[in-house]
Amino acid sequence: MNKDLHIYNSLTRKKEIFEPLNAPFVGMYVCGPTVYGDGHLGHARPAITFDILFRLLKHYDYKVRYVRNITDVGHLENDADAGEDKIAKKARLEKLEPMEVVQYYTDRYHKNMAQLNVQSPSIEPRASGHIIEQLEMVDEILKQGFAYESKGSVYFDVEAYNKKYHYGKLSGRNIEDMLNTTRALDGQDDKKNSFDFALWKKASPEHIMRWPSKYSDGFPGWHMECSAMSTKYLGDQFDIHGGGMDLQFPHHECEIAQSTAANGKESVKYWMHNNMITINGQKMGKSLGNFITLNDFFAGTHQILEKAYSPMTVRFFILQAHYRSTVDFSNEALQAAEKGLDRLLTAIQTLEKLKPSEQSTINVSEIEDKCYTAINDDLNTPITIAHLFDGVKLINSIKDGKETITTNDLDQLKTLFNIFTFDILGFVNETEIKSESKDITSGLMDFILDIRQNAKNNKDWTTSDKIRDQMKALGIEIKDGKEGAEWSIK
Ligand code: ZN
């Protein structure tokens, strides 16, 4: 097995071999959701992308501490330093306590993640539970001279920081350009420069989510939580920080600046970003009428959807694209994904029943090498899946007697398919779950048909007709034939 994992580092803009700072331990931080609404595809993609990385690192025997936060305070509308808190706004509209909103949507998010077979992170800290840590970091940034107080708020001093470090290194933005394009907005708030960002905001009288501090009764700026919580749980320096590409700026750029300002050094070795999802070629948005939640997908309850799509179909679809490419959802593409996954899982069932021969005409090690090479190449899941499908063809050829396989090779092939399909790509066999309930149905139907046959033998037509009609009402059709009665679900 080749464990040489290469990942694309958004900071250096190139693929690098993955070497943990402190092997066999790996620290990984991924920005989780702001919990003020139901989970959608934009939540599913980073969760699934970093689930693959989490699973792969564990497969390679690393001890991974995976931290994925829940944003429950400080994320203001439009990702800016102004406007209402997204959670407080939802709470106001629904007449709920903000923490009721947080609990409700966190529970629903967890349910969606479990449906998608996304493994739980090692730690899932909430911003509101780490106000003290955030304030300590604000103090430190001020002490280091990279922030200033203004009317009870504390702002990061981007210009001061940029004199010593490089602000904009992740997003490729240049402070001179930002100065030129944003100067017109100056003087509208308490900041020295419009690109300075809040570390701590004084709460206005109507702002309900607030904590006391020496600066003011207020709340942390959105970016603070990830700097404070990643440092708390993973240390001043850790291996991987991930999230969606839309978080590169301002969120991750600000995180880098805060952590570097407070700790005096870069905190993250590899920055990884997944690309976005579009729907029928369009950006997803509430105003565009194409905002489909994960629950909509699983139940088929959105006018755009021709049918329901199972969580594994959605997972397979997302993994059919490389995480740094965009994914476009359409009914055709989802239905193709559904068929593809079914073919893969059916082949695995076939694989279990194959009979070994004296000789092998296929080279299992070659498929294995190709799968590892693909997944090690910056988690190239579409190519990995393509190689598995080469394996599917061979499995079907063995079944048809066109190829043969020895016992050892067969064991190796089974192990390979199980590792990649279930352990690394994280699929579960939904038809297997369905077939468990199918077994119960079959047993019950045998029993019912037996009672009906007894009734018929006793010329008790009332009972036999009643059974037939009741079953029909339940969608089960009973047909009498020469070999006895048969049933089918309509
Ligand atoms: Zn974050």
Side-chain angles (χ1 to χ4, degrees), residues 377-394:
D377 181 16
D378 193 28
L379 310 179
N380 200 327
T381 53
I383 302 289
T384 308
I385 290 171
H387 291 312
L388 286 176
F389 275 106
D390 290 342
V392 167
K393 269 186 216 145
L394 291 173

Side-chain angles (χ1 to χ4, degrees), residues 29 31 69 222 225-226 241 247 251-252 255:
Y29 188 95
C31 291
N69 66 307
W222 171 38
E225 60 174 289
C226 292
H241 193 313
L247 293 178
H251 187 55
H252 290 161
E255 260 189 76

Side-chain angles (χ1 to χ4, degrees), residues 97-232:
E97 176 65 28
M99 285 302 138
E100 278 183 287
V101 172
V102 169
Q103 190 68 52
Y104 180 78
Y105 288 110
T106 303
D107 288 349
R108 289 171 75 91
Y109 175 71
H110 286 158
K111 187 179 169 214
N112 284 159
M113 292 304 112
Q115 286 168 314
L116 290 166
N117 204 29
V118 168
Q119 294 184 336
S120 298
S122 326
I123 306 175
E124 195 175 46
R126 284 189 189 179
S128 65
H130 298 76
I131 302 293
I132 292 169
E133 288 84 349
Q134 296 183 67
L135 278 166
E136 279 174 351
M137 206 164 198
V138 174
D139 293 348
E140 188 59 33
I141 297 169
L142 260 170
K143 202 175 118 195
Q144 297 295 331
F146 299 114
Y148 56 91
E149 269 188 85
S150 173
K151 297 178 191 163
S153 295
V154 182
Y155 293 100
F156 193 88
D157 191 336
V158 172
E159 256 186 329
Y161 175 83
N162 195 52
K163 284 198 182 109
K164 183 163 183 193
Y165 305 104
H166 173 192
Y167 183 79
K169 64 194 299 183
L170 178 68
S171 59
R173 293 187 192 217
N174 174 318
I175 188 168
E176 279 74 38
D177 294 344
M178 284 193 274
L179 264 177
N180 292 336
T181 52
T182 55
R183 187 162 279 156
L185 299 167
D186 283 1
Q188 288 183 354
D189 53 30
D190 311 331
K191 303 178 194 176
K192 281 201 239 170
N193 278 305
S194 58
F195 50 63
D196 290 347
F197 53 91
L199 303 178
W200 184 260
K201 278 283 273 186
K202 183 184 176 178
S204 54
E206 64 276 14
H207 197 103
I208 39 180
M209 292 168 93
R210 54 169 70 212
W211 288 263
S213 79
K214 63 186 173 197
Y215 310 111
S216 61
D217 265 18
F219 55 93
W222 171 38
H223 320 302
M224 271 317 298
E225 60 174 289
C226 292
S227 283
M229 296 190 298
S230 62
T231 306
K232 178 176 169 106

